[in-house]
Amino acid sequence: MQIKTVLATGVLGLSAAAPAFAQSSVQIYGIVDAAVRHTNNEGSAGSNRGTVTQLMGGGMSQSRWGINVTEDMGGGLKALANLENRFGADTGLPTTPYFQQSWVGLQSASFGRITLGRQYNVLFDLVTSTYASYPYSPYFDAYKPEIGFALGARADNMAKYLIEVGPFRGALQASAAERSPTGGMTRGGYLRYAQGPIAAGVGYQNYQFGSGRKIEAWTLGGSYRVGPWYFNTGYGQNKVDAGLTATDRAVLSAFWGGGMNGGFGGPAFLAADKREIAKLGVGYQVTPQLNLGAHYFYARQSGPTSNADGRARFLTAAADYAFSKRTDVYIEADATRLSGDVSLNGANGAANGAKSRNGYTVGVRHRF
């Protein structure tokens, strides 16, 4: 992500009470992304063949703006803070909550980094840094089946610790539920190895619902770079305790659902207690400006009864052309195929019985 320093070193160190060695910077960064997307089989049950063409406030990336703060306090110790808001460039409306990231922390070369607040979870951190689908994005926001396995990608009330030793990086996270009816307690961690063209890692995280029952998730995968080529592969799994309440299932639906995450619906969607996904992708940098990529995902879900079973195959391909370091245009095409007692959701968000969908997206993105 391109970052522009707008308040130079010393902005936060101007206080007379601050130590003389404290040096600080405040940086504003962001992405504005807008795209036209067309999909078929978006109608309601019984007439599901309708199409939808829409202007999206994010195609390759979700639009966002944020503030990074770094204070060098000397002796290798730094204070860090981040606020990040995401919004739709088509409407200007922000996502909920307003700040998708809001954390503060300390970092040292000797003890690592600890951060407190709402932030990315360890599943998202591992996949993004190690075997992301598109290394320059790292996901195609309008169509990203893998995100439906990341337990929401972020967590509230989180303490996260990260340390790097040579080619190894490890992280741990813990979140408090704070008596929320939807739960929110998490525990997790990952271990990553990266050296030369190879990167690989494994991660685990759970989430405790308001009832005390849990969903457990883990992932492993890796990537390899050689010349203009980028290869990646990965596996993810979610497993849910039996006996979830209606409130628990609403949280689970938010984790798993959404057209961009595969569009599962029908009787099987929340009857499942286990979901798995495997992915294989390739990228090729044709020129310094032009990147091509293609990715295949296979997902399946199962449960205590046969109607919970379902299969899905996702295929997506994209071309991205950079006019400059900040501005690029892209085109993407995708196909979804389902089998079993699952179906796609229509434009109204309800299952419509369709078993296939094709889509394409054309957009422009500017980073600052």
Side-chain angles (χ1 to χ4, degrees):
M1 178 180 296
Q2 298 289 331
I3 297 176
K4 179 179 180 182
T5 302
V6 295
L7 295 177
T9 298
V11 170
L12 296 185
L14 293 177
S15 171
F21 54 75
Q23 299 292 314
S24 301
S25 67
V26 178
Q27 301 169 314
I28 294 178
Y29 65 91
I31 296 176
V32 182
D33 187 319
V36 174
R37 180 162 171 81
H38 177 86
T39 51
N40 66 359
N41 291 347
E42 290 278 8
S44 59
S47 57
N48 57 34
R49 295 186 179 278
T51 63
V52 171
T53 301
Q54 57 185 313
L55 179 65
M56 304 186 70
M60 177 66 75
S61 303
Q62 190 174 12
S63 297
R64 72 196 76 166
W65 69 273
I67 302 171
N68 271 327
V69 181
T70 302
E71 181 184 22
D72 188 343
M73 298 183 288
L77 183 64
K78 294 182 179 180
L80 310 170
N82 175 262
L83 293 172
E84 183 178 283
N85 164 252
R86 300 199 169 203
F87 61 93
D90 54 337
T91 63
L93 296 175
T95 57
T96 302
Y98 185 85
F99 284 118
Q100 288 291 296
Q101 292 197 83
S102 54
W103 53 262
V104 64
L106 294 173
Q107 177 176 296
S108 167
S110 58
F111 71 74
R113 184 172 82 171
I114 185 166
T115 49
L116 306 172
R118 177 174 171 81
Q119 51 194 306
Y120 287 119
N121 65 30
V122 292
L123 301 173
F124 185 90
D125 281 347
L126 174 64
V127 177
T128 299
S129 65
T130 312
Y131 42 102
S133 296
Y134 297 91
Y136 51 86
S137 187
Y139 308 96
F140 193 86
D141 189 67
Y143 189 83
K144 48 184 181 182
E146 63 269 51
I147 294 296
F149 291 75
L151 302 191
R154 305 170 188 85
D156 297 338
N157 311 315
M158 185 200 296
K160 182 163 62 177
Y161 174 70
L162 181 147
I163 190 168
E164 294 190 72
V165 180
F168 293 95
R169 178 191 297 171
L172 297 170
Q173 80 168 64
S175 301
E178 300 184 358
R179 295 186 179 273
S180 168
T182 58
M185 182 182 293
T186 72
R187 299 291 185 270
Y190 72 79
L191 181 63
R192 174 182 186 263
Y193 170 86
Q195 190 165 31
I198 298 174
V202 60
Y204 165 85
Q205 189 208 314
N206 62 27
Y207 179 99
Q208 183 171 297
F209 299 102
S211 66
R213 293 170 174 83
K214 294 181 180 179
I215 177 173
E216 296 184 312
W218 67 275
T219 181
L220 62 85
S223 62
Y224 179 74
R225 297 173 184 265
V226 55
W229 292 94
Y230 170 74
F231 302 94
N232 67 88
T233 186
Y235 171 84
Q237 182 189 110
N238 286 185
K239 193 170 184 179
V240 188
D241 287 345
L244 299 186
T245 66
T247 300
D248 297 342
R249 290 190 176 277
V251 176
L252 180 63
S253 179
F255 284 162
W256 283 359
M260 66 180 63
N261 300 335
F264 281 100
F269 176 58
L270 289 181
D273 59 14
K274 183 179 180 181
R275 299 186 88 188
E276 300 171 273
I277 190 169
K279 69 169 194 148
L280 183 66
V282 61
Y284 185 75
Q285 188 166 348
V286 182
T287 70
Q289 293 79 33
L290 179 60
N291 278 282
L292 304 179
H295 303 278
Y296 173 78
F297 306 87
Y298 173 76
R300 64 182 181 183
Q301 64 177 42
S302 58
T305 58
S306 60
N307 78 320
D309 295 343
R311 303 288 186 272
R313 292 169 177 82
F314 311 101
L315 180 65
T316 179
D320 181 273
Y321 184 84
F323 288 115
S324 68
K325 291 183 178 180
R326 295 183 179 180
T327 303
D328 55 325
V329 294
Y330 54 84
I331 183 168
E332 177 268 355
D334 53 77
T336 302
R337 300 293 184 267
L338 306 183
S339 60
D341 201 15
V342 290
S343 70
L344 290 161
N345 292 328
N348 63 356
N352 66 6
K355 298 286 189 178
S356 67
R357 175 168 294 150
N358 298 320
Y360 64 82
T361 311
V362 180
V364 60
R365 173 176 65 168
H366 178 80
R367 290 167 283 186
F368 60 89

